[in-house]
Amino acid sequence: MRKRFLILAVLLTLVILPACGGSGNEEALKIAILAPLSGDVATFGESTRDGALLAIKERNAAGGVLGRQIETTVEDSQCSAEAAVSAGNKVIDQDGVSYIIGEVCSSASIPLSEIVEAKGVFQISPTSTNPSVTINEDGSTKSAVFRACFIDPFQGTVAAKFAQEQLGAKTAAVLLDQGNDYVRGLAEFFKEAFEAGGGEVVVWETYTGEDQDFSAILTKVKAANPDLLYLPDYYSTVNLIGAQAKEKGIEAIMMGGDGWDSPDLDTSAVEGGYFTNHYSADDPRPEVQNFVATYKEEYGATPDALATLAYDAANILMDGMEEAGNDDPMAVAKAIEGMTFDVVSGSIAYDEHHNPVKSAAILQVENGKISFIDSIAP
Ligand code: PHE
């Protein structure tokens, strides 16, 4: 009788103990990655997914977060407001996700942040640079929305100063897609800074996201003959405008923002141009060079800024979870507010609007290659 009881007790222990929380058996923590994997800016999504997945893979191999493995869901949110909102609702309501890395594009991240706030979920955008991603319309900071990148008032100012001080630009033409939060914002911040520095914006023309033929507005640029042509759009549109501008014989130096960063940027269309960016793979810091080597080994390609910032965003989130000590998105947000992070793109701490304070890189397209020119601190 006693012996039977003992066997039963041993059996029960074997079955029950591991089920209620011995280390490796706890439920996985879920993180969703929302990025544009199709459409005009698909390279943005591919890099973002690959960078984030690499960070998570490394963390899982080292034992996970809070002793639990991370499980990922990847959604194609298409750089669009509608797709990002429906992907956000899906991962939160159906998959039970409380942590989102994404989106890439500001006009997708802003509406996504609104449902994230309403549902008490955590979001970190690796690369959305428009100020409204982390702040509400009344200027207050969203409780659990962060980013891993600088913001466009800084990026626009860095571009304007560089154009004036290093390129000697006195006049500029600015072409923008009025319907895109990122493009419109960056255009406005650039204009403000360029004028504050004594420059003159001689052409300010808008187009829509569907436009393919820019000859009408480029004719105005040609007539005004500015020193600089500022194109704060994504690479796919910049490829079109740049090629058509060169065809028209426009000689202004072209300049743009982080949206130019893509292996599919048509370097001949923007030859001689400059753009501001988050990082350069040529940065000699060991953190950068080690990451470039690991990423190359994993994917056979050099990481662009999107891959790097997605890797950083995933690490910021996972460090925050570890620091919070529990799986509560609001506690993770509070923890991150007080931390500093040594990530690949630099050493960062958050300001009161959940924006990291960090430098921008200036890159040049020269003889078909992209080279690192300078790094500008805030
Ligand atoms: N900053 C862009 C946005 O806010 C996204 C982007 C970041 C694109 C980095 C390319 C490189 O929409």
Side-chain angles (χ1 to χ4, degrees):
M1 198 57 190
R2 269 192 82 137
K3 202 172 169 192
R4 262 195 169 164
F5 179 76
L6 200 71
I7 292 174
L8 193 70
V10 169
L11 274 177
L12 278 175
T13 319
L14 285 177
V15 175
I16 292 170
L17 255 192
C20 45
S23 53
N25 280 299
E26 259 183 309
E27 219 188 308
L29 284 161
K30 293 177 181 160
I31 295 180
I33 301 165
L34 268 56
L37 295 165
S38 61
D40 281 351
V41 292
T43 72
F44 290 171
E46 288 152 9
S47 295
T48 300
R49 175 198 60 203
D50 292 350
L53 287 178
L54 179 57
I56 294 167
K57 181 180 165 186
E58 289 176 351
R59 195 71 66 119
N60 275 340
V65 174
L66 302 170
R68 294 158 69 179
Q69 289 290 291
I70 304 275
E71 195 180 285
T72 46
T73 314
V74 181
E75 294 288 333
D76 178 8
S77 41
Q78 297 171 24
C79 188
S80 98
E82 304 77 56
V85 165
S86 74
N89 281 324
K90 187 235 161 203
V91 298
I92 298 168
D93 300 337
Q94 289 175 35
D95 304 337
V97 166
S98 306
Y99 304 92
I100 294 176
I101 297 173
E103 229 261 2
V104 169
C105 303
S106 293
S107 33
S109 286
I110 295 167
L112 176 63
S113 72
E114 279 152 20
I115 61 165
V116 156
E117 276 296 276
K119 295 186 185 209
V121 164
F122 178 98
Q123 175 188 1
I124 182 163
S125 167
T127 44
S128 289
T129 44
N130 187 276
S132 300
V133 173
T134 59
I135 54 174
N136 294 303
E137 267 170 40
D138 66 5
S140 60
T141 304
K142 291 171 190 167
S143 42
V145 181
F146 291 78
R147 72 178 102 219
C149 52
F150 52 61
I151 55 173
D152 288 331
F154 172 64
Q155 176 167 213
T157 304
V158 166
K161 277 200 168 155
F162 181 82
Q164 291 175 321
E165 291 166 11
Q166 307 299 320
L167 307 176
K170 295 192 169 50
T171 56
V174 181
L175 306 183
L176 63 141
D177 174 357
Q178 185 89 31
N180 181 309
D181 293 312
Y182 159 69
V183 180
R184 192 190 54 246
L186 187 51
E188 283 166 358
F189 297 124
F190 170 83
K191 180 171 188 274
E192 212 176 294
F194 195 75
E195 289 173 348
E200 200 190 336
V201 173
V202 290
V203 174
W204 176 270
E205 290 289 334
T206 60
Y207 52 85
T208 74
E210 285 77 51
D211 288 349
Q212 303 274 318
D213 178 355
F214 300 89
S215 54
I217 55 181
L218 286 171
T219 302
K220 296 185 187 172
V221 175
K222 171 114 194 188
N225 191 26
D227 299 327
L228 193 86
L229 174 56
Y230 193 59
L231 303 173
D233 209 327
Y234 301 132
Y235 67 91
S236 42
T237 304
V238 168
N239 287 347
L240 295 175
I241 301 180
Q244 291 173 31
K246 290 237 187 290
E247 233 166 75
K248 268 212 163 15
I250 291 171
E251 279 169 9
I253 301 172
M254 293 184 210
M255 189 158 191
D258 53 349
W260 284 28
D261 189 20
S262 170
D264 290 349
L265 177 73
D266 177 356
T267 50
S268 64
V270 293
E271 174 60 34
Y274 296 83
F275 64 104
T276 43
N277 205 3
H278 304 274
Y279 129 107
S280 161
D282 297 334
D283 188 329
R285 282 189 305 120
E287 292 86 345
V288 174
Q289 290 315 313
N290 291 339
F291 171 67
V292 170
T294 314
Y295 189 94
K296 268 193 183 153
E297 205 176 301
E298 183 79 14
Y299 299 113
T302 302
D304 56 17
L306 292 122
T308 306
L309 287 193
Y311 181 84
D312 285 353
N315 279 319
I316 290 167
L317 166 57
M318 294 185 292
D319 286 354
M321 288 168 139
E322 212 50 271
E323 176 75 15
N326 64 49
D327 172 21
D328 167 6
M330 295 307 134
V332 174
K334 275 273 156 288
I336 290 177
E337 284 173 354
M339 296 169 72
T340 50
F341 300 86
D342 282 312
V343 285
V344 178
S345 61
S347 171
I348 61 176
Y350 282 93
D351 71 9
E352 74 273 26
H353 299 308
H354 294 176
N355 298 321
V357 181
K358 61 199 296 197
S359 302
I362 308 250
L363 308 181
Q364 186 183 15
V365 184
E366 203 185 10
N367 303 322
K369 288 213 165 52
I370 313 256
S371 47
F372 174 71
I373 301 288
D374 203 0
S375 171
I376 314 242

